[in-house]
PDB file of all heavy atoms in Angstrom:
ATOM      1  N   VAL A  69     -26.410 -24.067 -12.026  1.00 90.00           N
ATOM      2  CA  VAL A  69     -26.369 -24.464 -13.430  1.00 90.00           C
ATOM      3  C   VAL A  69     -27.672 -24.128 -14.153  1.00 90.00           C
ATOM      4  O   VAL A  69     -27.705 -24.041 -15.386  1.00 90.00           O
ATOM      5  CB  VAL A  69     -26.058 -25.974 -13.540  1.00 90.00           C
ATOM      6  CG1 VAL A  69     -27.248 -26.814 -13.115  1.00 90.00           C
ATOM      7  CG2 VAL A  69     -25.598 -26.340 -14.943  1.00 90.00           C
ATOM      8  N   GLU A  70     -28.768 -23.908 -13.419  1.00 90.00           N
ATOM      9  CA  GLU A  70     -30.046 -23.572 -14.037  1.00 90.00           C
ATOM     10  C   GLU A  70     -30.166 -22.086 -14.370  1.00 90.00           C
ATOM     11  O   GLU A  70     -31.072 -21.691 -15.106  1.00 90.00           O
ATOM     12  CB  GLU A  70     -31.205 -23.982 -13.120  1.00 90.00           C
ATOM     13  CG  GLU A  70     -31.333 -25.483 -12.941  1.00 90.00           C
ATOM     14  CD  GLU A  70     -32.523 -25.870 -12.088  1.00 90.00           C
ATOM     15  OE1 GLU A  70     -32.987 -25.018 -11.292  1.00 90.00           O
ATOM     16  OE2 GLU A  70     -32.984 -27.011 -12.213  1.00 90.00           O
ATOM     17  N   ASN A  71     -29.275 -21.279 -13.838  1.00 93.00           N
ATOM     18  CA  ASN A  71     -29.303 -19.843 -14.099  1.00 93.00           C
ATOM     19  C   ASN A  71     -28.722 -19.569 -15.483  1.00 93.00           C
ATOM     20  O   ASN A  71     -27.572 -19.899 -15.753  1.00 93.00           O
ATOM     21  CB  ASN A  71     -28.484 -19.118 -13.023  1.00 93.00           C
ATOM     22  CG  ASN A  71     -28.593 -17.617 -13.115  1.00 93.00           C
ATOM     23  OD1 ASN A  71     -28.726 -17.051 -14.189  1.00 93.00           O
ATOM     24  ND2 ASN A  71     -28.520 -16.954 -11.967  1.00 93.00           N
ATOM     25  N   PRO A  72     -29.488 -18.959 -16.400  1.00 93.00           N
ATOM     26  CA  PRO A  72     -28.993 -18.713 -17.761  1.00 93.00           C
ATOM     27  C   PRO A  72     -27.695 -17.921 -17.800  1.00 93.00           C
ATOM     28  O   PRO A  72     -26.901 -18.079 -18.736  1.00 93.00           O
ATOM     29  CB  PRO A  72     -30.137 -17.934 -18.420  1.00 93.00           C
ATOM     30  CG  PRO A  72     -31.357 -18.329 -17.655  1.00 93.00           C
ATOM     31  CD  PRO A  72     -30.895 -18.528 -16.240  1.00 93.00           C
ATOM     32  N   PHE A  73     -27.472 -17.066 -16.808  1.00 96.00           N
ATOM     33  CA  PHE A  73     -26.225 -16.298 -16.760  1.00 96.00           C
ATOM     34  C   PHE A  73     -25.031 -17.236 -16.659  1.00 96.00           C
ATOM     35  O   PHE A  73     -24.050 -17.109 -17.402  1.00 96.00           O
ATOM     36  CB  PHE A  73     -26.256 -15.340 -15.572  1.00 96.00           C
ATOM     37  CG  PHE A  73     -24.946 -14.669 -15.287  1.00 96.00           C
ATOM     38  CD1 PHE A  73     -24.446 -13.693 -16.141  1.00 96.00           C
ATOM     39  CD2 PHE A  73     -24.209 -14.996 -14.156  1.00 96.00           C
ATOM     40  CE1 PHE A  73     -23.235 -13.065 -15.886  1.00 96.00           C
ATOM     41  CE2 PHE A  73     -23.003 -14.372 -13.883  1.00 96.00           C
ATOM     42  CZ  PHE A  73     -22.514 -13.410 -14.755  1.00 96.00           C
ATOM     43  N   PHE A  74     -25.098 -18.205 -15.746  1.00 96.00           N
ATOM     44  CA  PHE A  74     -23.993 -19.133 -15.579  1.00 96.00           C
ATOM     45  C   PHE A  74     -23.914 -20.130 -16.733  1.00 96.00           C
ATOM     46  O   PHE A  74     -22.831 -20.602 -17.075  1.00 96.00           O
ATOM     47  CB  PHE A  74     -24.115 -19.858 -14.240  1.00 96.00           C
ATOM     48  CG  PHE A  74     -23.807 -18.983 -13.059  1.00 96.00           C
ATOM     49  CD1 PHE A  74     -24.796 -18.638 -12.151  1.00 96.00           C
ATOM     50  CD2 PHE A  74     -22.530 -18.487 -12.868  1.00 96.00           C
ATOM     51  CE1 PHE A  74     -24.513 -17.814 -11.082  1.00 96.00           C
ATOM     52  CE2 PHE A  74     -22.241 -17.663 -11.790  1.00 96.00           C
ATOM     53  CZ  PHE A  74     -23.233 -17.330 -10.896  1.00 96.00           C
ATOM     54  N   THR A  75     -25.058 -20.444 -17.344  1.00 95.00           N
ATOM     55  CA  THR A  75     -25.036 -21.303 -18.528  1.00 95.00           C
ATOM     56  C   THR A  75     -24.250 -20.642 -19.651  1.00 95.00           C
ATOM     57  O   THR A  75     -23.459 -21.293 -20.349  1.00 95.00           O
ATOM     58  CB  THR A  75     -26.471 -21.597 -19.000  1.00 95.00           C
ATOM     59  OG1 THR A  75     -27.227 -22.170 -17.925  1.00 95.00           O
ATOM     60  CG2 THR A  75     -26.470 -22.566 -20.170  1.00 95.00           C
ATOM     61  N   ALA A  76     -24.461 -19.336 -19.828  1.00 96.00           N
ATOM     62  CA  ALA A  76     -23.729 -18.607 -20.873  1.00 96.00           C
ATOM     63  C   ALA A  76     -22.238 -18.531 -20.550  1.00 96.00           C
ATOM     64  O   ALA A  76     -21.392 -18.623 -21.446  1.00 96.00           O
ATOM     65  CB  ALA A  76     -24.313 -17.208 -21.037  1.00 96.00           C
ATOM     66  N   ILE A  77     -21.892 -18.352 -19.282  1.00 97.00           N
ATOM     67  CA  ILE A  77     -20.481 -18.371 -18.884  1.00 97.00           C
ATOM     68  C   ILE A  77     -19.875 -19.726 -19.224  1.00 97.00           C
ATOM     69  O   ILE A  77     -18.774 -19.813 -19.786  1.00 97.00           O
ATOM     70  CB  ILE A  77     -20.333 -18.071 -17.381  1.00 97.00           C
ATOM     71  CG1 ILE A  77     -20.543 -16.582 -17.106  1.00 97.00           C
ATOM     72  CG2 ILE A  77     -18.949 -18.502 -16.873  1.00 97.00           C
ATOM     73  CD1 ILE A  77     -20.434 -16.196 -15.649  1.00 97.00           C
ATOM     74  N   ALA A  78     -20.593 -20.799 -18.887  1.00 97.00           N
ATOM     75  CA  ALA A  78     -20.095 -22.148 -19.148  1.00 97.00           C
ATOM     76  C   ALA A  78     -19.842 -22.361 -20.633  1.00 97.00           C
ATOM     77  O   ALA A  78     -18.842 -22.977 -21.030  1.00 97.00           O
ATOM     78  CB  ALA A  78     -21.077 -23.185 -18.617  1.00 97.00           C
ATOM     79  N   ARG A  79     -20.744 -21.848 -21.464  1.00 97.00           N
ATOM     80  CA  ARG A  79     -20.556 -22.005 -22.907  1.00 97.00           C
ATOM     81  C   ARG A  79     -19.309 -21.259 -23.380  1.00 97.00           C
ATOM     82  O   ARG A  79     -18.543 -21.763 -24.217  1.00 97.00           O
ATOM     83  CB  ARG A  79     -21.789 -21.496 -23.660  1.00 97.00           C
ATOM     84  CG  ARG A  79     -21.727 -21.688 -25.175  1.00 97.00           C
ATOM     85  CD  ARG A  79     -21.457 -23.147 -25.519  1.00 97.00           C
ATOM     86  NE  ARG A  79     -21.171 -23.331 -26.922  1.00 97.00           N
ATOM     87  CZ  ARG A  79     -22.083 -23.693 -27.828  1.00 97.00           C
ATOM     88  NH1 ARG A  79     -23.344 -23.887 -27.456  1.00 97.00           N
ATOM     89  NH2 ARG A  79     -21.746 -23.846 -29.082  1.00 97.00           N
ATOM     90  N   GLY A  80     -19.083 -20.065 -22.850  1.00 97.00           N
ATOM     91  CA  GLY A  80     -17.893 -19.319 -23.215  1.00 97.00           C
ATOM     92  C   GLY A  80     -16.624 -20.033 -22.797  1.00 97.00           C
ATOM     93  O   GLY A  80     -15.634 -20.071 -23.549  1.00 97.00           O
ATOM     94  N   VAL A  81     -16.627 -20.608 -21.586  1.00 97.00           N
ATOM     95  CA  VAL A  81     -15.467 -21.361 -21.111  1.00 97.00           C
ATOM     96  C   VAL A  81     -15.210 -22.564 -22.007  1.00 97.00           C
ATOM     97  O   VAL A  81     -14.080 -22.812 -22.449  1.00 97.00           O
ATOM     98  CB  VAL A  81     -15.676 -21.820 -19.651  1.00 97.00           C
ATOM     99  CG1 VAL A  81     -14.599 -22.821 -19.241  1.00 97.00           C
ATOM    100  CG2 VAL A  81     -15.665 -20.617 -18.704  1.00 97.00           C
ATOM    101  N   GLU A  82     -16.266 -23.319 -22.296  1.00 96.00           N
ATOM    102  CA  GLU A  82     -16.086 -24.544 -23.076  1.00 96.00           C
ATOM    103  C   GLU A  82     -15.630 -24.244 -24.503  1.00 96.00           C
ATOM    104  O   GLU A  82     -14.758 -24.934 -25.040  1.00 96.00           O
ATOM    105  CB  GLU A  82     -17.387 -25.345 -23.107  1.00 96.00           C
ATOM    106  CG  GLU A  82     -17.193 -26.687 -23.810  1.00 96.00           C
ATOM    107  CD  GLU A  82     -18.478 -27.478 -23.912  1.00 96.00           C
ATOM    108  OE1 GLU A  82     -19.529 -26.868 -24.136  1.00 96.00           O
ATOM    109  OE2 GLU A  82     -18.402 -28.709 -23.798  1.00 96.00           O
ATOM    110  N   ASP A  83     -16.204 -23.222 -25.121  1.00 96.00           N
ATOM    111  CA  ASP A  83     -15.797 -22.873 -26.482  1.00 96.00           C
ATOM    112  C   ASP A  83     -14.299 -22.621 -26.561  1.00 96.00           C
ATOM    113  O   ASP A  83     -13.613 -23.092 -27.479  1.00 96.00           O
ATOM    114  CB  ASP A  83     -16.553 -21.627 -26.967  1.00 96.00           C
ATOM    115  CG  ASP A  83     -18.013 -21.914 -27.269  1.00 96.00           C
ATOM    116  OD1 ASP A  83     -18.384 -23.098 -27.342  1.00 96.00           O
ATOM    117  OD2 ASP A  83     -18.782 -20.938 -27.422  1.00 96.00           O
ATOM    118  N   THR A  84     -13.788 -21.867 -25.598  1.00 96.00           N
ATOM    119  CA  THR A  84     -12.363 -21.525 -25.601  1.00 96.00           C
ATOM    120  C   THR A  84     -11.501 -22.726 -25.220  1.00 96.00           C
ATOM    121  O   THR A  84     -10.454 -22.970 -25.822  1.00 96.00           O
ATOM    122  CB  THR A  84     -12.099 -20.362 -24.638  1.00 96.00           C
ATOM    123  OG1 THR A  84     -12.901 -19.242 -25.037  1.00 96.00           O
ATOM    124  CG2 THR A  84     -10.640 -19.951 -24.641  1.00 96.00           C
ATOM    125  N   ALA A  85     -11.945 -23.494 -24.225  1.00 95.00           N
ATOM    126  CA  ALA A  85     -11.165 -24.644 -23.775  1.00 95.00           C
ATOM    127  C   ALA A  85     -11.082 -25.715 -24.859  1.00 95.00           C
ATOM    128  O   ALA A  85     -10.011 -26.278 -25.107  1.00 95.00           O
ATOM    129  CB  ALA A  85     -11.787 -25.228 -22.508  1.00 95.00           C
ATOM    130  N   GLN A  86     -12.198 -25.998 -25.517  1.00 93.00           N
ATOM    131  CA  GLN A  86     -12.207 -27.022 -26.559  1.00 93.00           C
ATOM    132  C   GLN A  86     -11.276 -26.660 -27.700  1.00 93.00           C
ATOM    133  O   GLN A  86     -10.584 -27.513 -28.257  1.00 93.00           O
ATOM    134  CB  GLN A  86     -13.636 -27.197 -27.089  1.00 93.00           C
ATOM    135  CG  GLN A  86     -14.564 -27.941 -26.148  1.00 93.00           C
ATOM    136  CD  GLN A  86     -14.296 -29.439 -26.113  1.00 93.00           C
ATOM    137  OE1 GLN A  86     -13.740 -29.992 -27.050  1.00 93.00           O
ATOM    138  NE2 GLN A  86     -14.682 -30.092 -25.026  1.00 93.00           N
ATOM    139  N   ALA A  87     -11.246 -25.376 -28.049  1.00 92.00           N
ATOM    140  CA  ALA A  87     -10.369 -24.934 -29.131  1.00 92.00           C
ATOM    141  C   ALA A  87      -8.904 -25.147 -28.789  1.00 92.00           C
ATOM    142  O   ALA A  87      -8.063 -25.290 -29.679  1.00 92.00           O
ATOM    143  CB  ALA A  87     -10.627 -23.461 -29.438  1.00 92.00           C
ATOM    144  N   ALA A  88      -8.590 -25.183 -27.492  1.00 91.00           N
ATOM    145  CA  ALA A  88      -7.208 -25.389 -27.048  1.00 91.00           C
ATOM    146  C   ALA A  88      -6.922 -26.843 -26.695  1.00 91.00           C
ATOM    147  O   ALA A  88      -5.843 -27.162 -26.191  1.00 91.00           O
ATOM    148  CB  ALA A  88      -6.913 -24.494 -25.837  1.00 91.00           C
ATOM    149  N   GLY A  89      -7.893 -27.740 -26.940  1.00 91.00           N
ATOM    150  CA  GLY A  89      -7.682 -29.155 -26.679  1.00 91.00           C
ATOM    151  C   GLY A  89      -8.011 -29.593 -25.269  1.00 91.00           C
ATOM    152  O   GLY A  89      -7.611 -30.683 -24.851  1.00 91.00           O
ATOM    153  N   PHE A  90      -8.756 -28.795 -24.527  1.00 94.00           N
ATOM    154  CA  PHE A  90      -9.130 -29.137 -23.158  1.00 94.00           C
ATOM    155  C   PHE A  90     -10.612 -29.517 -23.077  1.00 94.00           C
ATOM    156  O   PHE A  90     -11.430 -29.012 -23.837  1.00 94.00           O
ATOM    157  CB  PHE A  90      -8.890 -27.957 -22.211  1.00 94.00           C
ATOM    158  CG  PHE A  90      -7.459 -27.741 -21.837  1.00 94.00           C
ATOM    159  CD1 PHE A  90      -6.573 -27.164 -22.731  1.00 94.00           C
ATOM    160  CD2 PHE A  90      -6.987 -28.106 -20.589  1.00 94.00           C
ATOM    161  CE1 PHE A  90      -5.249 -26.961 -22.400  1.00 94.00           C
ATOM    162  CE2 PHE A  90      -5.663 -27.908 -20.242  1.00 94.00           C
ATOM    163  CZ  PHE A  90      -4.784 -27.337 -21.144  1.00 94.00           C
ATOM    164  N   SER A  91     -10.919 -30.373 -22.136  1.00 94.00           N
ATOM    165  CA  SER A  91     -12.306 -30.660 -21.784  1.00 94.00           C
ATOM    166  C   SER A  91     -12.651 -29.884 -20.521  1.00 94.00           C
ATOM    167  O   SER A  91     -11.762 -29.446 -19.786  1.00 94.00           O
ATOM    168  CB  SER A  91     -12.509 -32.160 -21.549  1.00 94.00           C
ATOM    169  OG  SER A  91     -12.235 -32.892 -22.725  1.00 94.00           O
ATOM    170  N   VAL A  92     -13.952 -29.721 -20.273  1.00 96.00           N
ATOM    171  CA  VAL A  92     -14.406 -28.962 -19.103  1.00 96.00           C
ATOM    172  C   VAL A  92     -15.323 -29.829 -18.248  1.00 96.00           C
ATOM    173  O   VAL A  92     -16.304 -30.404 -18.749  1.00 96.00           O
ATOM    174  CB  VAL A  92     -15.155 -27.677 -19.527  1.00 96.00           C
ATOM    175  CG1 VAL A  92     -15.661 -26.929 -18.289  1.00 96.00           C
ATOM    176  CG2 VAL A  92     -14.254 -26.780 -20.357  1.00 96.00           C
TER     177      VAL A  92
END
Side-chain angles (χ1 to χ4, degrees):
V69 72
E70 293 183 337
N71 187 327
F73 170 71
F74 288 113
T75 304
I77 285 179
R79 183 55 190 264
V81 169
E82 185 183 38
D83 288 347
T84 302
Q86 286 285 337
F90 283 76
S91 298
V92 178

